[in-house]
Each structure stands twice: as structure tokens, then as C-alpha cells.
Amino acid sequence: MALDYRKCAEEIVANIGGRENVAQAAHCATRLRLVIKDNGKIKKSALENVEGVKGMFENNGQLQLIIGTGTVNKVYDEFLAVTGMSAATKDDVKAAAAAQQPAWKRALKSIGDVFVPILPAIVASGLMMGLVEALGKFIPSFEGSDWYSFLDMVANTAFAFLPVIVAVSAARVFGGNQFLGAVIGLLMIHGNLLNGWNVGSEEAINSFFGITTGKIPTWNLFGNLKIGGYTLGSISRHGYQGHVIPVIIAVWLMCKLEKWLHKHTPEMLDLFIVPLVTVFVTALITFIVIGPIFAQLENWVLDGAKVLVKNAFGAMIMGALYPFTVVMGLHHMYNVIEAGMLAGDSGLNTWMPIASAANFAQFGACLAVGIKARNMRTKSVAVPASLSASLGITEPAIFGVNFRFMKPFLCAMVGGAAGAVFGAITGIGATAYGVTGIPGYLTIDNKLVYTILLAIAGGVAFLLTWFIWKEEPAEGGEAAPKAEVAAAPAAAKAISASGDEVTKKTVIKSSAGEIALPTPGKVIPYTEIPDPTFASGALGQGIGVEPEEGVVFAPMDGEISSVADSKHAIGISGAEDQELLIHVGVDTVEMKGDGFKTFVEEGDKVTKGQKLMEFDIDKIKAAGHPDTVVVLLTNSDDYENVEFGDI
């Protein structure tokens, strides 16, 4: 029986709190995507029982109702008619959903958006830094070699110039000129400024500035004009290597200022005035306001840490808070504490076990995400980032995984606190500083106890993350498309000349007719498709194909009911109202059409064996996505005796 689209739309509206409770509405190939103002008004059980709604979930501030290809667009049209709303794009829905979220979630999302594009750089550098440092400690002769110096330079480049990379990415996220963002990032690590990693070293300060006071000189732009105890326009002459938050704040400010100037500057003068004023004003505010704030934070963190590490309770607090100081870029100050401990009566660095516990907890949490995640992109970042963290370089794990998802970050805080308490109680320490994690074995005074400490910190974080963190529905596939903009497709890996041979094999049989194999390859049950939504059958039952060639043929006669903007999915309506979805790969909507080429449009009549699409298997795999071709009879519940598989 055909679905009553109007009735379906009316029941959806009635169970989400009415028109006044909807901020935005759009749809993708299979789902109705709604931004709800008050989720408390949603009648979830009733909504799930609406005829035509095959499932529902909330993700990124959106209520997503699974309806199915070829049907969702018709229900959406009726939804607009019932509510009187205007059609919205998926980007409109995403923007509205973001605006509905709390400020702290929006801030975290912005940080995540900044770091996602630069993850390959910091993950690779972090892993290489850890390996190079470990080799240097394990093989003392290697540390003084030319190879060590060269590899160390290659490894730490991304971190030495991290503010620049972050600034460019932040400018893209906040909608500013990326080259102006690069200038702001470069300013914050300029060669005329003391390296930010040396702000706590009197020897480095004296050597760099040619002084003997051990205090960083300042530029007083407005003389000695004071407001209270603060000298107006005073700039401490140190850089921000390793800092992240002040760079993001500075570039956000830059983008706001640049946009305002573009609106208020005559077009004739825009090219001259806007870049000049934007960079100058942003630089002043960054070094006069943002700089002193973070300098004061560094002092407070350093003073607080010195007090806290003297007892187990304080060690627990620092073990938990340590990763926050990494996020803020304040953790380099701890070298002062470690140097002081080594120069003291005991000659033992008891801060190192605390830092190791905190770092190894990040490893445990990140590894749990890497093992548990089904999204291949998440997994491909988390596993190498966790290895980097185990070697003491935690930025890739924190910024690439744990802090982005937050729950793993919090679980790591608990693990770090537990390990730090154990370290304080046992009294273990190191005979040097600068290394944590696995390389720390070379400097620790009790290797067995240190092993237990790492096991506690990493184990607690791993287990908590495993049981507490849940992977959200993939932002890809048809759940939450990302800017589905078609791009010029690449040539498919290998294209069959005809679909005649391929489509001789029937893979789905029902009372409505037979559906053939759409692409050559190994057939697998739909329950083994590497995506929870497809595998659950919520979008209909069918099969998966592990493709041998990058080509899709029409598996039956019918009419094209939908073609995804990103060209990775096609819907076909066949005899007896069969609704078929052919979806190439998992999360491939993120490729924005790159690697896909379609030969049909919505409304086209097609015959069995007709070429519908070409796709590049290598590009899909290189992007970190499973290449499984999903073939689902989305209305399979309407038929009796449906058979699936290699028939």
C-alpha cells in the first residue's frame, strides 16, 4: 500500500510540537532533517510509530527522521505545505542547529573545525617527535648525530610553527582571509620574540636578550602610563610557540574586524585599508590584551602547581588538570618546576610521574576511541595519535580526538588523576626532565612502580572511555551530509564496457520482481555493511557489494527517483513500487562528489544493465572510507518472501 505522504507529514508535525517548535527543515536522500526549538515537546514514541518513519535519532542539534529514498522528498514537500515553511538547504539546517546549541558546545565545535584539516600534520609530527626522542634516549650516541638533528627538525616543524597552521585554519573557519590569518600566526612566533617554550628559563632569557636579570623585557608603546599596577601598552617580548587558544582568539577577532571593515570601507580603498587596519589592530590587541592574560595564567598555573605537587591530593588535582594546561598552551612552564626539583636536596624530579600519568591517560582514552570507532576517518586519526601520546606527545590525541569528543578527554582526566595519586604515594621520581610516557623508563628511578603507574592511568582512561563514550551517528552517508557540492569526478579505477554480464546475477528477489547485481564484486549481507544505520535495516534490507570495479549499472528497469548532489547515491523506482537505494561507500558524502560521475538525472527512465555511475575506488579508500556499495530495497517490508544474497 502506497504511503500517504500528507498524513505522514501531518503526524510528524503534530508529534514534534507543531510548526512553532521548528526552526529549520531540510532533507537529504533518505532523511528529514529538522532543527527543533524545544526537544521537550517531541513525542518520541508516537513519532517512531508514524507510518513512513523508519527510525529517528538526534545528532548535532538536529532531529533526523529516516524515511527513505524516493519518499523523503515527497514527505518533505507535504511537510512544507502543512507548516507553511520555506524550503531550506542542508547548510541552513546546520547553521540553525549550531545556533541552538549552548555556547560551550559551539566553542568546542569551532576548535574541532579548526583542527580537523590540520590533523594529518600534527599527528604525523607528534608520532615522529615521540619516536625521535625515544631513539635519542635509548641510544645516547644517536642523540648527537647528524641524523638525529635532521629528524628532530623534520619532526618538530609542525609544532614549532603550530600557531601559523592553526591561524590559517581558524581564518578559514571564521570566514576571514587565510593569508592575513597566516600573518597573525607568524607574528606570534616572530624571530624577534623569545621562544615561548623558554619563558620559564632565566638562562634562555639572559642569553636571548643579552641581559643578566632573568626577566623578559617589554615594549612600552605608550611610555610608563599606568592604570593601577598595569603599564598601558606594555608588551612582553616572548612568542606563543605551542599555544592554541590565544591564536584562535586572535584570528577570530581578526575575522570579525576584517568583515566589519569590508562593509564600511569604500570599494576603491578596500584593498589598501582593510588588510592594513586588520593586521595592525589585531596585532595590538593580541599582544597588549591577549598576551598579558595568558602570561598571568602561566604565572598562576606555575605557582599553583608548585604548591599542589607536594602531596597526593595536589598531585591528583594536577594529574587531572594537566591536559587543560596543554590545551591552553601553558604546560611548557612546568620545566621550571622540574629543574628546581633536580637542583634540590633530593635531586629527584617527582613532577615527571604526574605528567606521565596525565599523558598516558590521554593515550588510553584515544586508543579506546580508535578501537571502538566504526568511522574509518576517526579510527585512522585516533590510532596513530594514541601511539604519539604513549611516547609523550599528546597534542595529536588531545586536539585530534579526545578534546573534540570531550568524553574521552574527561575520562583521561580521571585516569591521569588516578595515576598521579599512585605516583605521589609511592614517591617515585626521575633523574632528568623533558620525557614522559614510554621514553620515561630511561630516567625513572623505579621501573616496576612506573609500569604500574602507566597501567593505572592508561587503563582507567581506556576502560572509562570504552564504556562511556559512544560514537555519534556518522556525519556522512545520508545522516548528515556535509556541503554536498559536486566536484569534477576522477576516472574510475576500471570500467566495464557493459552491464550485461554483471547484471545476470540476481541478488534480491521478491514478489515484485528480481533485482540484479549493480556492480561486480563480492556480495555480503546487509548486516555486515560497515555502517550501523545501513546494517540495522532501518533504511530497508538488501545486500552490500565489495566492489571490484568502479562502475554501477541499473539492476532493474525503472525510473531514477533521486540523485545525490554529491553523486554517491542513486534511488530507483521499479515495478510494483519497488524503491531501491544504491549508495556507493560509507560516509562518502564527505568527498563532495570528488571521484564520482553520474550518467542519469532524476526522472530519467533506465533499463537493466544501463550505466548509472562511475566511481574511483582508490580515491574512496584514500579518503579513509569503506568502499562497500550498499544496495537496499528501502520498502522491503511491503513485500513477502523477500530473499537477499548471492541468489
Side-chain angles (χ1 to χ4, degrees), residues 302 305-306 309 333-342 349 351:
L302 185 59
K306 287 179 178 178
V309 296
M333 295 291 292
Y334 298 134
N335 288 340
V336 176
I337 298 177
E338 295 182 281
M341 288 179 171
L342 291 173
N349 174 12
W351 169 260

Side-chain angles (χ1 to χ4, degrees), residues 100-260:
Q100 293 283 103
Q101 293 181 332
W104 66 270
K105 275 195 173 183
R106 296 201 299 272
L108 281 182
K109 184 180 184 304
S110 294
I111 293 174
D113 290 343
V114 168
F115 272 90
V116 166
I118 66 177
L119 285 179
I122 63 172
V123 168
S125 290
L127 189 56
M128 192 172 181
M129 280 180 66
L131 291 172
V132 171
E133 288 186 7
L135 284 172
K137 294 297 180 182
F138 278 107
I139 309 173
S141 60
F142 176 70
E143 190 171 9
S145 69
D146 290 345
W147 265 110
Y148 178 88
S149 298
F150 172 72
L151 291 175
D152 183 56
M153 178 191 71
V154 174
N156 69 38
T157 296
F159 287 94
F161 297 96
L162 184 61
V164 181
I165 302 173
V166 170
V168 171
S169 184
R172 177 191 58 82
V173 170
F174 299 130
N177 184 299
Q178 295 182 45
F179 297 101
L180 294 183
V183 171
I184 297 302
L186 287 165
L187 275 171
M188 300 181 77
I189 57 169
H190 198 285
N192 287 344
L193 302 172
L194 175 71
N195 190 303
W197 290 323
N198 294 327
V199 293
S201 169
E202 291 189 7
E203 181 180 351
I205 293 171
N206 291 339
S207 175
F208 184 82
F209 292 107
I211 57 178
T212 58
T213 62
K215 295 183 178 179
I216 301 174
T218 60
W219 286 314
N220 296 325
L221 303 185
F222 307 123
N224 292 317
L225 183 61
K226 292 183 177 293
I227 298 177
Y230 171 66
T231 302
L232 187 65
S234 178
I235 296 176
S236 179
R237 293 165 59 182
H238 68 80
Y240 292 86
Q241 285 83 354
H243 286 262
V244 170
I245 302 301
V247 180
I248 294 177
I249 293 172
V251 174
W252 174 83
L253 173 67
M254 182 208 82
C255 294
K256 290 290 186 183
L257 178 59
E258 182 191 4
K259 291 176 182 177
W260 186 90

Side-chain angles (χ1 to χ4, degrees), residues 407-427:
K407 285 184 180 179
F409 186 77
L410 297 176
C411 292
M413 289 177 60
V414 177
V421 168
F422 178 79
I425 292 174
T426 56

Side-chain angles (χ1 to χ4, degrees), residues 300-344:
W300 287 342
V301 168
L302 185 59
D303 292 342
K306 287 179 178 178
V307 174
L308 289 173
V309 296
K310 295 178 180 179
N311 57 77
F313 179 74
M316 178 184 70
I317 294 176
M318 288 310 304
L321 295 182
Y322 183 90
F324 270 112
T325 62
V326 175
V327 171
M328 301 294 285
L330 308 178
H331 58 300
H332 305 295
M333 295 291 292
Y334 298 134
N335 288 340
V336 176
I337 298 177
E338 295 182 281
M341 288 179 171
L342 291 173

Side-chain angles (χ1 to χ4, degrees), residues 373-376 471 474 524-535 544-546 585-587 625-630:
R374 300 189 65 172
N375 183 294
M376 291 305 297
E471 189 172 23
I524 62 173
Y526 73 90
T527 53
E528 294 181 11
I529 295 171
D531 177 85
T533 301
F534 292 135
V545 183
E546 297 176 351
V586 175
D587 292 346
H625 304 300
D627 61 357
T628 306
V629 177
V630 180

Side-chain angles (χ1 to χ4, degrees), residues 41 183 399 620 636:
K41 295 181 180 180
V183 171
F399 293 116
I620 293 173
S636 54

